[in-house]
Amino acid sequence: MQPLRIAVLGMVDGNGHPYSWSAMFNNYDQVVMADCPYPAIPAYLAKEPKEKLQIPGASVTHIWTDDPKDAEHVAKASLIPHIVSRPEDVIGHVDAVMITTDKGYEHVERCRPFVEAGLPIFVDKPLVDNEPDLRQFQRWVRDGARIMSSSCMRYCKEFMPYRTSIHSLGQLRYTSITTCKSWERYGIHALESIYPILGPGFLSAQNVGTKERNIVLFKHRTHGDVAVIAIEDLYGSHGLLQLCGTSASATVNSQDTFYSFKTQLEAFIGYLHTGERPFPFSETEELMRMVIAGIRSREEGGRIVPLEEIAAD
């Protein structure tokens, strides 16, 4: 079977995914990658044995970035053979695209040409940050578009035991999870860390914080109170999970970024090969309602926002 041809499209401030995700398919040039503007990327790539670095069954063959100079450097660092002058130029030359930007309000327009061309799409988190765009993606998926979006934190290996079972904790009464940076761009990292553990059933959100310090309190139908914290400069405490139950508690910190990213991308390649989603799109829909409810509550002075208020299409 010929490897799938993937296009990496888009690069925005604060997000180096074109470097790292492409390297996980193609391998990379160590000398050029050393000049990556995100030093954490060459650091965690260098920790991986070469024989375990790459994802089989696909390669990144094309790249476009918002600033053409970025595309030139990423292509050299991550061994991408083709740079295109417009994103749409990859249509007819690739089997799928990855939108490697994390500003949710841009994603409808970034995805539109590829939905219309019938190409499968992986969209970096969050898929959206507003209700009209959520409705558009719902329509596209309902009409058969192959769109997948997730945070890498869904695949955090340190949290996996609690995805398997939380019975030893008794009944959960309180859960908390942290992230750095903004709610709009990074809140989904925290939300998708806990969602596979707690499952669907989130009822409401109340953001009692500020734009730089988001303290978002959720109610879950089964698992009680959930605090999701997104503070701009909380770099030293990103991905700290706390599960508090009636019988026991657990505190876990995410550590292996490479594993989370690679497993996420492997899930997308599996979807391309089999046509079977690794998780239902309904989970993404609920997560996006949670993102939107957190923004709406903050903008409305901490009002409790029922998730059912974020209407489905």
Side-chain angles (χ1 to χ4, degrees):
M1 184 182 297
Q2 289 293 318
L4 295 169
R5 301 164 298 170
I6 308 294
V8 162
L9 303 175
M11 188 168 177
V12 295
D13 58 287
N15 189 332
H17 292 341
Y19 284 98
S20 55
W21 292 6
S22 301
M24 291 177 196
F25 288 104
N26 293 4
N27 211 324
Y28 64 101
D29 184 307
Q30 290 183 332
V31 174
V32 180
M33 188 65 81
D35 292 327
C36 172
Y38 302 95
I41 291 175
Y44 67 65
L45 290 175
K47 293 178 182 178
E48 297 304 311
K50 289 294 184 183
E51 64 273 14
K52 294 185 178 180
L53 178 72
Q54 291 175 256
I55 298 167
S59 64
V60 174
T61 58
H62 294 72
I63 186 168
W64 174 86
T65 58
D66 298 70
D67 183 340
K69 292 180 181 178
D70 289 332
E72 294 175 10
H73 193 256
V74 175
K76 290 178 181 177
S78 299
L79 311 179
I80 305 170
H82 303 292
I83 300 172
V84 295
S85 57
R86 302 181 310 147
E88 307 93 285
D89 291 343
V90 306
I91 296 172
H93 301 283
V94 299
D95 302 299
V97 302
M98 297 196 301
I99 306 298
T100 48
T101 64
D102 61 357
K103 297 181 179 181
Y105 60 87
E106 299 178 346
H107 284 157
V108 163
E109 293 312 314
R110 287 185 185 267
C111 290
R112 190 181 300 278
F114 311 105
V115 172
E116 294 174 352
L119 279 170
I121 309 168
F122 182 87
V123 189
D124 190 20
K125 55 72 191 125
L127 180 65
V128 299
D129 59 14
N130 63 84
E131 199 168 0
D133 286 357
L134 175 57
R135 288 174 173 165
Q136 179 61 72
F137 276 107
Q138 288 172 322
R139 288 193 290 270
W140 278 338
V141 171
R142 184 186 62 214
D143 292 341
R146 292 169 290 172
I147 298 170
M148 178 181 161
S149 179
S150 72
S151 160
C152 68
M153 296 298 285
R154 173 177 283 269
Y155 301 97
C156 176
K157 71 180 181 183
E158 292 83 8
F159 301 165
M160 285 293 179
Y162 302 100
R163 292 182 60 174
T164 303
S165 175
I166 52 175
H167 296 311
S168 64
L169 304 179
Q171 294 181 316
L172 286 184
R173 293 291 184 251
Y174 174 75
T175 300
S176 67
I177 182 69
T178 60
T179 184
C180 56
K181 299 190 179 181
S182 71
W183 178 260
E184 283 80 352
R185 293 173 71 175
Y186 264 57
I188 185 58
H189 272 325
L191 293 173
E192 207 150 358
S193 297
I194 58 171
Y195 192 93
I197 298 171
L198 304 183
F202 285 87
L203 302 175
S204 65
Q206 182 182 24
N207 191 336
V208 297
T210 64
K211 195 170 180 63
E212 294 76 28
R213 179 181 161 275
N214 294 268
I215 312 296
V216 191
L217 309 176
F218 288 93
K219 293 288 186 183
H220 191 278
R221 181 178 291 112
T222 307
H223 298 301
D225 295 302
V226 181
V228 182
I229 314 302
I231 297 176
E232 190 67 36
D233 61 355
L234 201 67
Y235 292 97
S237 301
H238 170 75
L240 180 62
L241 170 69
Q242 187 177 34
L243 300 166
C244 300
T246 56
S247 300
S249 65
T251 302
V252 195
N253 196 40
S254 64
Q255 297 182 26
D256 194 336
T257 303
F258 177 88
Y259 178 91
S260 299
F261 280 138
K262 185 179 179 185
T263 307
Q264 172 183 243
L265 298 175
E266 287 173 334
F268 178 55
I269 298 306
Y271 175 40
L272 296 180
H273 281 302
T274 67
E276 296 182 8
R277 290 184 174 275
F279 54 90
F281 187 73
S282 61
E283 295 191 7
T284 301
E285 291 177 297
E286 184 169 354
L287 284 159
M288 293 308 102
R289 289 190 181 97
M290 294 167 73
V291 170
I292 295 164
I295 296 169
R296 184 172 297 178
S297 176
R298 185 188 68 212
E299 293 179 347
E300 297 183 10
R303 177 173 72 88
I304 297 174
V305 176
L307 259 63
E308 64 183 11
E309 179 181 302
I310 315 297
D313 181 62

